[in-house]
Amino acid sequence: MVKSTAFRRAVGHVQAEFAMSERGACRALGFSRSSHRYAARRADPKELLDRLRELAARRPRFGYRRLHVLLRREGMMVNHKRVERLYRAEGLAVRRKKRRRVAAFPRQPLPAPSRINERWSMDFVRDALVNGRPFRTLNIVDDLSRECPAIEVDTSLPGERVVRVLDGVVAERGKPDGIVMDNGPEFVGKALDAWAYRMGIRLHFIRPGKPVENAFIESFNGKFRDECLNENWFTDLRDAREKIERWRIDYNQHRPHSSLGNRSPQEFVATLKGGIPGRPDSRSLNLGHPERSFRPMDPAGAVENANSAFSTSSLDGADSAPPTGSTGPAARC
């Protein structure tokens, strides 16, 4: 179906190309002259525009979809198409970097976890202070809820420090069945290996040069860099820790996550535990299917044999002795 805006452009094109009158161009295209001359008289509500500008200024890396979710949370009954139109008219569109095209290859999805603390992912991210001094962050994410229980910030994060951070997270929320990570020296060292063996936690190391096999933490790292590291200046380590911790709390408590039905991670956890009902997916509201049940989506996952690396059966014996042939004290995949 051709919309009125397209008909108006077509009428203008016919008038310019064939030197026709408005009446003749509309008759040739079968379009009403009154529709061609129609101009909208309804003004957009000032309150909505002001609030949209304010939210976009506070969260410059949010697109119109997430801003629409935030507006709906505040009780504004506004259609997502109107938010998109105002968002573009106000020049608020987020600039997107052009992605490098890579060769396509068959992928197999990483098996999605079915409960909290079934699988964690962790990785390091590097950034710098305003004086050029580099620092690192250790990011930890629960693969089901996408919740980030800790982001440790320092100039040096050896294996012993990683173990202390994990001990704190385990004391707060319980231990996971397994942890997915890359082959960094802090992760393959003796400190983490002995800790995992003592705690009965299986360590799964992805293949070198295959970050897609750790898709959950890589997705989180992208959001972390885009919305926090790239949007702030850090004068010193204390300043970096405070700003990053504020962003982590906001991410867990308020930031809508599209793969969680536009809930925040903590809202999703509360829904799983039966504490409070989660907010309905705005897409379900628009489509008129609020009764549809939610199933967590899985990002593009690992390749080749990642399915068997973290199957349910492989985690059943996580609390028992390590399997024969493991490379170290801890059971490794």
Side-chain angles (χ1 to χ4, degrees), residues 22-67:
E22 179 193 40
R23 185 190 303 270
C26 288
R27 183 184 294 114
L29 294 175
F31 188 53
S32 170
R33 290 175 62 200
S34 60
S35 297
H36 178 254
R37 296 181 177 184
Y38 174 79
R41 303 175 189 175
R42 182 178 58 182
D44 293 310
K46 185 176 182 299
E47 180 185 357
L48 174 62
L49 272 173
D50 292 343
R51 187 56 182 157
L52 182 61
R53 293 192 194 103
E54 182 181 347
L55 289 174
R58 280 173 40 197
R59 302 176 181 273
R61 299 305 300 173
F62 275 22
Y64 78 89
R65 290 182 179 86
R66 282 200 173 90
L67 293 177

Side-chain angles (χ1 to χ4, degrees), residues 1-33 35-36:
M1 174 188 275
V2 180
K3 295 184 178 180
S4 298
T5 53
F7 266 119
R8 293 188 186 100
R9 288 196 297 268
V11 169
H13 175 75
V14 170
Q15 285 182 280
E17 287 292 321
F18 302 100
M20 294 180 66
S21 65
E22 179 193 40
R23 185 190 303 270
C26 288
R27 183 184 294 114
L29 294 175
F31 188 53
S32 170
R33 290 175 62 200
S35 297
H36 178 254

Side-chain angles (χ1 to χ4, degrees), residues 217-227:
I217 193 64
E218 293 296 337
S219 175
F220 174 83
N221 289 346
K223 299 178 179 68
F224 175 53
R225 182 168 295 282
D226 187 44
E227 300 174 11

Side-chain angles (χ1 to χ4, degrees), residues 129-145:
L129 305 175
V130 292
N131 59 7
R133 186 184 183 188
F135 68 88
R136 307 175 76 197
T137 69
L138 172 65
N139 302 341
I140 304 173
V141 170
D142 184 284
D143 287 359
L144 177 66
S145 67

